[in-house]
Amino acid sequence: MSEKWVYLFNELDQAEKHVGGDWEAVRGLLGGKGTNLAEMARIGVPVPPGFTVTTEACNAYLASGGSFPEGMWEQEKEALTAIQAETGKTFGNRENPLLVSCRSGAKFSMPGMMDTVLNIGLNDETVKGMIELTGDERFVYDAYRRLVQMFGNVVMGVPDEAFEEILTEVRKKQGVRTDTELTADAWKSVTEKFKEIFKRRTKLDFPDDPYVQLKLATEAVFKSWNGKRAVDYRNAAGISHDLGTAVSIVTMVFGNMGEDSATGVAMTRNGSTGENQIEGDYLTNAQGEDVVAGIRLTKDLTQMKTELPKAYAEFEQIARRLEKHYHEMQDVEFTIEKGKLWMLQTRDGKRTAQAAVRIAADMVEEGLITREEAVLRVTPEQVDFFLHPQFDPEAAKMARTGGNMLAEGLNVSPGAAVGMVVFEADLAEEWAKEGKQVIMVRPETKPDDVHGMLAARGILTSRGGRTSHAALVARQFGKPAVVGVSSLEIDMGRRQMAVKDKIIKEGDWISIDGTVGEVYAGKLATMIPDIKDPWLRKLLSWADEFRTLGVWTNADYPHDARRALEYGAEGIGLCRTEHMFFQSDRLPHVQKMIMADLPIERSEALKALLPFQREDFAGLFQVMNGLTVIIRLIDPPLHEFLPSQVDLLRDLADLKIRLQHAGKLKKIDELLGKVRNKERILKRVESLHEANPMLGLRGVRLGILIPELTIMQVRAIFEAACMVSKEGVDVRPEIMIPLTTHVNELKKQREVLEAEAMIVMEERGVEINYKFGTMIELPRAALTTDQIAEYASFISFGTNDLTQTTFGISRDDAEAGFLIEYMENGILPDNPFDTIDRDGVGELMKIAVEKGRAVRPGLECGICGEHGGDPQSIALCHELGLNYVSCSPFRVPIARLAAAHAALRKK
Ligand code: PEP
Ligand code: MG
């Protein structure tokens, strides 16, 4: 007996047995489509009778150089006989002709890659029978010409243009624009003309014999596996070339056989909202294509309830059964032929982020899936959707096709923003106060732009990377931002920017999409999803049950901390104290402290700063009652707090010109004073100048050189802690030293810190439990964490700096330069400032955790670099056994889900 090459849809059990019961192997044997149809048949869903010729047959055919394997064709004919018995129709019979489609279907979906032939079985005789059966001559000839065309093109290789030319000619002659307007006679003559083309091109008559049609169509599908399109697709998609394709032969069913026939498409749940209600469109007395092509106005599926009640009831029941079987929302196609319902296809349905969340949560309640499955089904990107306004997809599409997309840049802070362009922070603030919506546009932003950024709806810069100032601030405050848009030419002097051939002036409207990094001209419509969505809350609470990683937040102000708490944060992993220094009521004191020539001047400036810091910390402690607050001591180089050298030189030149023209003595005196002051600042700026400030006097080095600074910050922290602790707040401060590279730095800072903490606690008569620790953001620190752990009871990976110093790539400039090219050329698989580089930075982290915990087993390890909100990096942090990840408040819900994914996938 020959091998079995053909399986009827109701022989799925045999196919399973043939491959040893392995479900993946069944898909490999029968292809995705064949398996799906057979599976529906097995669970009792009515699918048009049919069978599948296996991928093994295809591979045998291709290996032999073009002969069917022994017994295959006989088996195909036998299967056809079985279909005839089942349908009561006969292949080639005029009275009640059986028509079939011949479809390719590999193990993996390869959309549009291989070929399909429809309406096999039509010839001059059966056409007549079909016309009698349907009473629709136009439809039958349209079907017939399609067979000739598809067969000619797919099976015999006649170029499609030859057929299309004729169609164009006929349409012209009939004076119509679309095929739907063509009459029955027109289709009849098109069919004749197609046959002539067929003969002219192939030197053969179009085969009348349905068996010849089927045999050649089967062969053509086999051969299409090695067609250029298919090979290219597999190369691109990484699909193996030796899988072969299966061929499914399916009885054609028609929805246009009268008013008791119909055809439609449906989703088993609402794909936009996720509501558990079937939704779809259908048409009575129509073909499937009519529904999809939108030529006729379709009807809402609910109408089918009254129009075809019996079929609808059955359809509804099948939809539920399919969901139960696949444990997923399904997207189905169906046809009703003379009152009989047939399901033609089912697959997992596409859905919006909102629908994905609701469907996953509902399916748990319905007992269809487990909580774990639900959590794994929702992606971090889908959760992100709930946190920011989005552009209406239709509006974005129209803007794109209308040529209003201006440029692309780095998508550093998600969400959509619409506003008037403003090039300067003060003006941004002023306009916002007047109630205007603004987008702040700058070549790059600096700390003294922050008030403008806060007032703006979104931020756009032409320079800078993922950890640039603009990106960090935008993420922290949840402002949509696109940075590094190199095609923007900003002309600050003329208050305008040029992009492509457009000039955008200050006050013009633009729209930016920080989720994808796109910039549009004009106002795009937005929609605002809701973080309080009850299904999202439910899903995230399940995620919390599964994750072992803590999720903390980076927050500097009480209102950020409050938001983060609402989003589910369990602590503050990083409070960047210097951000408080930049506020306008504090900056003068900071500048005074930097400019001080005498210790007394410095200590006065620091004294003035102290109450501000104390108040800020007290606010944070109050909000975070009972939770850890990690406060990092000052980090950036001091020149960042002073005006830039360029600005100072410009101001000085300005003042000197005014001085030359000043007449009155009083004016001269006043200007001279200003000149001296500016010169003094300039001198200080020049003295602070470093070739590489990122590798210079910053971080702990500042604390070592100016211990008064550390003392002031420590005093502010402990005064605040004592104060709120007396109010009954449970304070848990942890003090963190930045940019440590050697254990001795830590030793020294700890002495200063402990002494001051002790003094304050004694003064106030309160004991505060606190921890002392450090950031690990330099390779040397990572490699010597055993020494560091002697003095630090916690470490937190500052992966922004750790990536910068491990790669030797500037975090501020890289993405505007070669890094993008590196990624495009595949030299780097991912942007290391987005996703932790496992092999380098990840390895350093691993060493640090191991060495640190070897010395201090309970060492608290976390991460507070931007990577703390990136799902892939979160998975790595889980593997490394960190205690928590800390990210901006707006990433907290995403991190909760990603941490649960990491835990569940490791199980
Ligand atoms: C880091 O370097 O990862 C970090 C969190 O510190 P900053 O970004 O403030 O330098
Ligand atoms: Mg850092």
Side-chain angles (χ1 to χ4, degrees), residues 267-279 329 350-352 355 359:
M267 297 268 215
T268 55
R269 298 187 188 218
N270 185 312
S272 306
T273 64
E275 200 183 340
N276 189 0
Q277 201 163 46
I278 297 171
E279 59 158 21
M329 167 226 203
K350 297 248 182 308
R351 65 207 78 180
T352 63
I359 290 169

Side-chain angles (χ1 to χ4, degrees), residues 18-324:
H18 176 77
V19 293
D22 175 355
W23 192 240
E24 272 303 295
V26 174
R27 293 184 75 80
L29 183 72
L30 301 180
K33 194 174 289 152
T35 309
N36 221 251
L37 285 161
E39 217 184 339
M40 282 205 280
R42 173 149 80 182
I43 62 170
V45 168
V47 292
F51 58 87
T52 300
V53 186
T54 64
T55 54
E56 287 174 356
C58 170
N59 288 333
Y61 172 87
L62 294 173
S64 71
S67 332
F68 284 157
E70 198 201 322
M72 188 205 96
W73 178 240
E74 288 69 30
Q75 289 177 24
E76 213 174 326
K77 282 193 293 189
E78 268 167 41
L80 208 60
T81 310
I83 295 183
Q84 293 183 147
E86 212 179 327
T87 57
K89 299 179 182 186
T90 309
F91 215 33
N93 175 288
R94 182 192 151 136
E95 305 311 315
N96 194 9
L98 172 70
L99 304 187
V100 296
S101 61
C102 178
R103 296 162 187 270
S104 61
K107 178 174 181 180
F108 303 107
S109 153
M110 296 194 263
M113 179 216 77
M114 291 183 300
D115 295 306
T116 294
V117 184
L118 300 177
N119 305 329
I120 292 173
L122 279 177
N123 57 28
D124 291 348
E125 277 303 295
T126 53
V127 154
K128 288 179 197 143
M130 283 296 289
I131 293 171
E132 279 158 28
L133 279 170
T134 61
D136 188 347
E137 196 178 357
R138 189 186 169 284
F139 152 66
V140 176
Y141 275 107
D142 184 11
Y144 195 12
R145 71 90 193 179
R146 265 179 221 274
L147 169 65
V148 181
Q149 184 174 358
M150 284 178 156
F151 194 88
N153 178 246
V154 172
V155 180
M156 308 302 290
V158 180
D160 216 26
E161 295 81 60
F163 297 111
E164 289 301 328
E165 258 170 40
I166 291 188
L167 272 178
T168 315
E169 228 171 73
V170 172
R171 276 199 297 260
K172 220 164 154 191
K173 220 157 139 192
Q174 303 270 321
V176 299
R177 280 182 36 239
T178 59
D179 288 356
T180 47
E181 296 166 78
L182 288 176
T183 60
D185 277 347
W187 282 127
K188 197 169 171 181
S189 92
V190 166
T191 309
E192 282 315 309
K193 288 200 166 106
F194 276 12
K195 282 192 179 174
E196 281 163 26
I197 294 259
F198 187 96
K199 174 132 200 205
R200 205 173 330 128
R201 297 280 185 144
T202 65
K203 311 279 178 267
L204 295 167
D205 283 322
F206 175 75
D208 275 341
D209 184 345
Y211 284 96
V212 174
Q213 292 174 3
L214 181 64
K215 193 173 185 181
L216 293 174
T218 306
E219 261 194 280
V221 174
F222 281 168
K223 280 192 216 153
S224 73
W225 176 255
N226 280 339
K228 186 173 173 338
R229 258 188 303 159
V231 173
D232 288 349
Y233 185 95
R234 289 200 296 274
N235 282 337
I239 296 173
S240 160
H241 291 294
D242 58 10
L243 296 174
T245 179
V247 186
S248 289
I249 313 294
V250 193
T251 306
M252 297 285 302
V253 286
F254 297 97
N256 56 347
M257 290 208 172
E259 286 308 312
D260 59 351
S261 299
T263 184
V265 292
M267 297 268 215
T268 55
R269 298 187 188 218
N270 185 312
S272 306
T273 64
E275 200 183 340
N276 189 0
Q277 201 163 46
I278 297 171
E279 59 158 21
D281 303 301
Y282 79 108
L283 278 171
T284 37
N285 200 9
Q287 279 179 277
E289 282 156 56
D290 299 338
V291 176
V292 184
I295 299 160
R296 283 167 55 185
L297 200 61
T298 55
K299 300 186 236 187
D300 191 289
L301 200 64
T302 47
Q303 218 175 309
M304 204 168 107
K305 247 186 222 176
T306 40
E307 210 172 22
L308 296 163
K310 210 172 129 257
Y312 184 83
E314 190 185 356
F315 176 77
E316 199 175 24
Q317 200 208 345
I318 287 170
R320 292 289 155 239
R321 197 175 330 148
L322 286 173
E323 272 203 345
K324 268 213 173 88

Side-chain angles (χ1 to χ4, degrees), residues 467 472 554 573-574 576 578-579 632 635-636 694 698 736 738-739 775-777 796-804 811 863-867:
T467 60
L472 289 184
N554 293 357
L574 174 63
R576 290 179 166 103
E578 65 270 11
H579 282 177
R632 181 182 75 182
D635 180 36
M694 271 290 183
R698 56 171 288 218
M736 180 158 76
L739 215 76
M775 295 188 75
I776 300 291
E777 46 186 349
S796 175
F797 291 102
T799 43
N800 302 332
D801 276 309
L802 190 57
T803 301
Q804 169 168 262
R811 60 192 264 192
I863 175 175
C864 63
E866 288 305 299
H867 303 88

Side-chain angles (χ1 to χ4, degrees), residues 751-766:
E751 279 164 19
V752 173
L753 187 143
E754 279 180 345
E756 187 66 16
M758 191 64 82
I759 295 172
V760 178
M761 289 190 287
E762 270 171 17
E763 273 171 18
R764 305 276 163 144
V766 180

Side-chain angles (χ1 to χ4, degrees), residues 476-632:
Q476 177 166 15
F477 295 106
K479 300 269 176 197
V482 181
V483 305
V485 187
S486 48
S487 58
L488 285 188
E489 282 175 39
I490 301 177
D491 184 340
M492 294 297 285
R494 294 160 96 172
R495 298 274 180 166
Q496 64 179 40
M497 61 182 178
V499 55
K500 285 189 187 160
D501 49 357
K502 285 200 169 70
I503 299 285
I504 313 268
K505 293 199 160 57
E506 194 152 57
D508 287 350
W509 287 86
I510 60 165
S511 303
I512 63 166
D513 189 336
T515 310
V516 288
E518 290 170 350
V519 184
Y520 297 90
K523 295 190 212 180
L524 260 62
T526 50
M527 42 191 231
I528 303 172
D530 180 13
I531 182 72
K532 296 209 172 80
D533 178 278
W535 293 278
L536 179 65
R537 293 198 157 224
K538 204 183 281 180
L539 195 96
L540 289 176
S541 74
W542 295 334
D544 292 342
E545 287 171 22
F546 304 131
R547 67 184 163 88
T548 50
L549 260 180
V551 176
W552 298 12
T553 191
N554 293 357
D556 308 330
Y557 305 101
H559 67 264
D560 292 335
R562 229 171 272 125
R563 184 196 297 280
L565 275 186
E566 192 191 315
Y567 288 180
E570 300 157 307
I572 290 183
L574 174 63
C575 163
R576 290 179 166 103
T577 50
E578 65 270 11
H579 282 177
M580 301 162 175
F581 287 180
F582 284 115
Q583 277 175 260
S584 53
D585 49 352
R586 298 131 199 237
L587 197 57
H589 302 296
V590 180
Q591 290 176 339
K592 229 183 246 168
M593 184 264 298
I594 300 170
M595 297 298 301
D597 293 321
L598 301 170
I600 179 83
E601 284 173 355
R602 173 173 286 163
S603 91
E604 263 171 23
L606 285 169
K607 222 189 226 160
L609 271 175
L610 179 86
F612 290 114
Q613 289 249 288
R614 186 174 55 214
E615 211 177 296
D616 292 329
F617 297 141
L620 277 184
F621 292 143
Q622 274 157 343
V623 174
M624 300 303 287
N625 190 356
L627 299 171
T628 300
V629 177
I630 298 188
I631 297 169
R632 181 182 75 182

Side-chain angles (χ1 to χ4, degrees), residues 413-435:
S413 183
V418 179
M420 287 187 259
V421 169
V422 175
F423 292 107
E424 192 234 317
D426 290 343
L427 189 63
E429 198 175 47
E430 195 182 310
W431 283 12
K433 272 191 191 141
E434 289 167 18

Side-chain angles (χ1 to χ4, degrees), residues 606-674:
L606 285 169
K607 222 189 226 160
L609 271 175
L610 179 86
F612 290 114
Q613 289 249 288
R614 186 174 55 214
E615 211 177 296
D616 292 329
F617 297 141
L620 277 184
F621 292 143
Q622 274 157 343
V623 174
M624 300 303 287
N625 190 356
L627 299 171
T628 300
V629 177
I630 298 188
I631 297 169
R632 181 182 75 182
L633 302 186
I634 188 170
D635 180 36
L638 294 182
H639 73 85
E640 284 197 11
F641 300 99
L642 295 178
S644 78
Q645 195 180 17
V646 177
D647 287 349
L648 284 166
L649 285 170
R650 196 193 50 217
D651 292 352
L652 260 175
D654 210 38
L655 282 169
K656 282 179 181 168
I657 290 171
R658 283 166 60 196
L659 193 60
Q660 276 173 5
H661 295 93
K664 293 197 179 114
L665 217 57
K666 202 172 146 214
K667 188 76 190 165
I668 294 175
D669 260 3
E670 182 199 323
L671 287 170
L672 262 177
K674 282 189 179 167

